């Protein structure tokens, strides 16, 4: 493998080299300020839920926000503490203290950089969608569970790490419920949800914490606040230091935890980058992004922070507010520094039930209920992978969940390939046999295709290993076609990741004004697409058994478009 510095060039450097446009500045400035307002309460809430002080969350958002924007491979991503890490961090701090977390995160940062240097960014994309959905939903349930005590105003000295013990302790303390804290928390939930629906441009979390802090001070409410639990927040960043016991024994002890942090950071960041690409029509550099996240995690720990990764919600906020380049991420971190310096005495007035309300809403959004419902319409094997990953995340451990989920998905995939191969060998009429390489009467070279019609074909099973390739086909074409015909005559099956990729592709077609037409869809595949709800999305009138019918329809649409 040749090492080419250009392959790892940070996105910010590429933008500056080609010339930063003046029209970007206003969007970057407004985007950075807006996302900083959103990030402040979230950073503190994630840190507290992780078992550390709120200032560590702010430090992480500042340091990781700057470093990931400086060295990352995506244009508009915002990095900092996220919900995905809450469960992992809490468990490490509970067993090894903050010093153990610092060493594990330092190791994870190095692992991320190694992943980037060895160009493993693309490999992360091959993790099946049911595995990602399963552990994300599991994390969401664990985050929700971790906030119940603060929402109810329960005073519990040490909350257990595992799910069942946590709920056992909560039930045993229910008689201590603080009604005022509960009402305040529920009102904050209502404010967050209401702000999103009524005033979508107003950050709900900041509305909730301001309301909570003002209510506590004005009415002298007997609820726990950041100050009553953690004391004052320092208005300055600490001096960078790596004061930890970096011994071989500790490295061996914390290696599994470091692997979990690195894997989570990689998956979350690259998923976020894909989402951002879809929103702004760009394409990230996955290996540069891994390098940037590695540097960001090492920097965060040097200043006394916690693990960091790209945050999808904050990145989306940045884009919607006008962020255009990585400069918006740097501006967001600078604004957080100003908040830390000038607002520290007021930040500590925030009630913990308000922060619990924020994280409960975050947990609900993370759960992706609609996607989980969709996946239950996928093949039974994908449902099994989803359920297994979810249960292992909640009841055992996140690392075990991802490992078992990936292995189970691979085994089921091999089983599918074997069964499909047997069908093709025996030439059972369920599927069309593969044509000879140079003797295909239905080859596209023999067909009449009008201008504005593009035809692409998928050959073989449409599964998690190749699903990612479909996402950028429209961008690669150059001129946006009026009709896109996707031939699927040699697709014997589709898994949940393939279905999700097909759904994303259809949404991209709609956004670009392109009609998606499917050709050669075999009955078993059509049945799976109906169960998933995809047929309703694309329209039965745009699905055909044979390429000739599909092209007649596509050519008619193209001609009609030209006349209009």
């Amino acid at each position: 493998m040749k090492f080419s510095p250009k392959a790892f060039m940070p996105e910010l450097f590429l933008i500056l080299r080609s010339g930063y446009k003046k029209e970007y500045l206003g969007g970057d400035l407004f985007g950075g300020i807006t996302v900083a307002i959103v990030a402040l309460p979230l950073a503190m809430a994630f840190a507290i839920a992780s078992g550390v002080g709120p200032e560590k969350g702010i430090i992480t958002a500042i340091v990781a926000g700057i470093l990931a924007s400086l060295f990352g491979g995506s244009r508009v991503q915002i990095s900092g503490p996220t919900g995905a890490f809450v469960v992992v961090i809490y468990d490490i701090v509970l067993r090894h203290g903050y010093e153990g977390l610092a060493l594990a995160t330092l190791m994870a940062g190095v692992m991320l950089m190694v992943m980037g240097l060895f160009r493993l960014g693309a490999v992360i994309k091959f993790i099946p969608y049911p595995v990602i959905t399963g552990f994300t939903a599991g994390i969401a349930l664990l985050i929700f569970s971790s906030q119940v005590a603060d929402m109810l105003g329960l005073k519990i000295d040490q909350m257990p790490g595992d799910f069942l013990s946590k709920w056992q302790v909560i039930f045993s303390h229910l008689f201590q419920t603080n009604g005022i804290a509960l009402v305040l928390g529920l009102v904050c939930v209502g404010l967050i949800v209401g702000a999103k629906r009524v005033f979508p441009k107003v950050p709900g979390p900041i509305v909730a914490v301001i309301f909570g802090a003002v209510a506590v001070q004005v009415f002298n409410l007997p609820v726990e606040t950041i100050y009553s639990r953690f004391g004052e927040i320092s208005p300055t960043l600490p001096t960078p230091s790596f004061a930890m016991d970096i011994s071989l024994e500790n490295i061996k002890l914390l290696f599994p935890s470091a692997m979990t942090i690195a894997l989570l950071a990689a998956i979350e960041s690259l998923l976020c980058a894909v989402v951002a690409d879809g929103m702004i029509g760009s394409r990230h550099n996955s290996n540069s992004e891994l390098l940037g996240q590695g540097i960001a995690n090492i920097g965060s720990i040097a200043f006394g922070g916690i693990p960091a990764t790209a945050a999808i919600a904050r990145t989306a906020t940045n884009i919607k507010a006008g962020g255009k380049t990585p400069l918006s991420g740097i501006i967001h971190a600078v604004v957080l520094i100003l908040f830390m310096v000038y607002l520290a005495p007021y930040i500590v007035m925030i009630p913990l039930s308000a922060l619990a309300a924020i994280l409960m809403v975050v947990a609900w959004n993370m759960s992706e209920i609609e996607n989980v419902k969709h996946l239950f319409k996928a093949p039974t094997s994908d449902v099994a992978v989803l359920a297994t990953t979810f249960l292992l995340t909640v009841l055992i451990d996140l690392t075990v969940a991802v490992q078992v989920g990936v292995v189970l998905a691979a085994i089921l995939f091999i089983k599918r390939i074997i069964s499909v191969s047997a069908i093709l060998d025996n030439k059972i009429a369920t599927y069309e046999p593969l044509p000879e390489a140079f003797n295909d009467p239905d080859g596209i070279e023999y067909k009449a295709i009008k201008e504005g019609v593009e035809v692409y074909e998928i050959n073989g099973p449409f599964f998690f290993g190749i699903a990612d390739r479909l996402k950028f086909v429209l961008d690669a074409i150059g001129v946006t076609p009026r009709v896109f015909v996707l031939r699927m005559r040699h697709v014997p099956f589709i898994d949940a990741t393939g279905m999700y990729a097909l759904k994303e592709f259809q949404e991209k077609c709609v956004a670009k004004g392109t009609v998606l037409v499917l050709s050669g869809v075999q009955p078993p595949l059509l049945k799976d697409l109906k169960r998933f709800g995809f047929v309703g999305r694309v329209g039965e009138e745009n699905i055909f058994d044979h390429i000739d019918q599909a092209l007649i329809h596509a050519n008619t649409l193209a001609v009609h478009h030209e006349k209009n």
Side-chain angles (χ1 to χ4, degrees):
M1 180 182 70
K2 276 188 175 182
F3 178 82
S4 171
K6 290 183 180 179
F8 305 100
M9 209 67 84
E11 186 66 25
L12 180 61
F13 181 85
L14 294 174
I15 290 171
L16 294 176
R17 190 175 65 174
S18 62
Y20 183 85
K21 297 178 182 178
K22 290 181 181 178
E23 55 264 33
Y24 288 167
L25 185 57
D28 284 341
L29 191 61
F30 189 69
I33 293 171
T34 303
V35 81
I37 294 171
V38 174
L40 180 66
L42 286 174
M44 292 188 296
F46 288 136
I48 291 171
S50 300
V52 297
E55 74 284 349
K56 292 191 180 299
I58 303 175
I59 290 168
T60 305
I62 292 170
V63 178
I66 290 175
L67 293 177
S69 295
L70 280 173
F71 300 106
S74 181
R75 289 181 70 93
V76 289
Q77 287 202 156
I78 302 296
S79 294
T82 65
F85 282 128
V86 165
V87 180
V88 177
I89 296 172
Y90 188 87
D91 183 59
I92 296 172
V93 171
L94 194 65
R95 290 187 289 122
H96 307 289
Y98 177 77
E99 190 173 314
L101 174 67
L103 179 55
T105 308
L106 178 64
M107 293 162 61
V110 174
M111 290 175 188
L112 284 166
M113 293 181 70
V114 171
M115 286 181 195
L117 290 171
F118 280 88
R119 304 186 184 188
L120 297 179
V123 176
I124 300 294
K125 297 174 186 175
F126 294 154
I127 295 179
Y129 189 67
V131 175
I132 293 173
T133 304
F135 80 66
T136 302
I139 290 170
L141 178 57
L142 291 173
I143 291 175
F144 179 89
S145 302
S146 71
Q147 297 308 298
V148 172
D150 282 341
M151 177 64 84
L152 297 176
L154 306 180
K155 293 185 178 180
I156 301 171
D157 294 331
Q158 185 65 62
M159 184 67 78
D162 66 284
F163 178 76
L164 296 177
S165 298
K166 188 179 274 114
W167 277 101
Q168 189 176 4
V169 170
I170 290 170
F171 282 126
S172 67
H173 286 75
L174 278 179
F175 67 93
Q176 296 178 354
T177 298
N178 182 334
I180 294 175
L182 176 59
V183 170
L184 184 62
L186 292 175
V187 170
C188 287
V189 170
L191 287 172
I192 296 168
V193 175
K196 185 176 180 180
R197 292 182 179 177
V198 182
F199 304 105
K201 292 187 177 180
V202 177
I206 203 70
V207 173
V209 295
I210 290 175
F211 169 80
V214 170
V216 168
Q217 297 305 309
V218 171
F219 299 106
N220 196 25
L221 300 179
V223 298
E224 200 169 12
T225 63
I226 291 176
Y227 179 79
S228 66
R229 183 178 293 184
F230 299 100
E232 297 285 355
I233 290 178
S234 172
T236 58
L237 288 172
T239 304
S241 168
F242 289 105
M244 60 186 80
D245 184 10
I246 308 178
S247 63
L248 184 59
E249 183 181 349
N250 283 338
I251 289 174
K252 287 180 180 179
L253 180 66
L254 291 163
F255 189 82
S257 299
M259 278 293 294
T260 302
I261 293 171
L263 186 62
L264 262 183
I267 293 172
E268 284 286 306
S269 294
L270 296 181
L271 279 178
C272 182
V274 170
V275 171
D277 286 347
M279 293 180 72
I280 65 174
S282 70
R283 194 165 185 175
H284 70 283
N285 183 325
S286 57
N287 298 314
S288 291
E289 183 60 27
L290 291 178
L291 275 171
Q293 291 298 332
I295 294 169
N297 275 276
I298 293 171
S300 175
I301 285 304
F303 282 88
I306 57 178
T309 184
I312 294 176
R314 273 162 275 172
T315 296
T317 300
N318 181 38
I319 294 169
K320 291 174 183 176
K324 304 291 184 187
T325 76
L327 184 61
S328 61
I330 296 172
I331 291 171
H332 129 272
V334 172
V335 174
L336 283 174
I337 292 174
L338 296 177
F339 286 164
M340 194 175 187
V341 172
Y342 295 106
L343 299 181
Y346 305 102
I347 289 172
V348 295
M349 297 177 183
I350 297 171
L352 296 183
S353 57
L355 293 180
I358 292 171
L359 287 191
M360 283 186 166
V361 174
V362 168
W364 173 259
N365 293 333
M366 275 185 72
S367 67
E368 297 185 321
I369 295 296
E370 290 304 315
N371 287 340
V372 172
K373 286 179 182 177
H374 259 13
L375 277 172
F376 273 100
K377 298 175 184 177
T380 307
S381 55
D382 287 314
V383 176
V385 171
L386 168 68
T388 301
T389 309
F390 173 79
L391 291 172
L392 288 175
T393 299
V394 173
L395 300 176
I396 308 296
D397 179 71
L398 182 62
T399 310
V400 174
V402 174
Q403 290 171 349
V404 172
V406 171
V407 170
L408 185 57
I411 291 171
L412 290 170
F413 168 69
I414 292 169
K415 180 179 178 294
R416 282 173 173 171
I417 290 294
I418 292 171
S419 63
V420 169
S421 298
I423 289 172
L424 293 176
D425 289 342
N426 291 310
K427 293 184 173 57
I428 293 176
T430 310
Y431 304 109
E432 296 177 6
L434 289 170
E436 296 297 325
F438 300 103
N439 186 29
D440 181 8
D442 283 326
I444 210 65
E445 63 271 19
Y446 302 123
K447 307 298 180 182
I449 302 174
K450 297 285 185 183
E451 187 176 346
V453 177
E454 285 287 342
V455 181
Y456 274 65
E457 181 165 8
I458 299 174
N459 252 319
F462 192 32
F463 68 108
F464 66 86
I466 64 166
D468 189 66
R469 297 182 190 176
L470 185 62
K471 293 178 183 177
F472 302 106
V473 168
L474 279 183
D475 297 327
I477 292 172
V479 179
T480 302
R482 170 58 186 152
V483 185
F484 189 99
V485 179
L486 190 63
R487 299 188 73 178
M488 305 182 76
R489 56 180 174 159
H490 299 315
V491 179
F493 72 79
I494 183 170
D495 73 354
T497 308
M499 286 181 179
Y500 187 74
L502 202 56
K503 171 177 166 286
E504 281 189 327
F505 184 71
Q506 189 265 343
E507 289 171 350
K508 197 167 187 177
C509 286
V510 170
K512 289 181 175 285
T514 299
V515 177
L516 177 62
V517 173
L518 303 185
S519 161
V521 180
Q522 304 295 329
L525 181 61
L526 184 62
K527 183 180 177 182
D528 285 340
L529 293 177
K530 282 182 177 178
R531 285 180 61 200
F532 190 68
F534 184 77
V535 172
R537 297 178 66 90
V538 76
E540 287 194 39
E541 69 278 7
N542 293 319
I543 300 177
F544 297 90
D545 296 331
H546 197 271
I547 186 62
D548 289 342
Q549 299 166 319
L551 285 178
I552 290 171
H553 179 64
N555 289 336
T556 302
L557 290 174
V559 171
H560 180 71
H561 178 69
E562 281 181 14
K563 289 180 180 179
N564 292 338

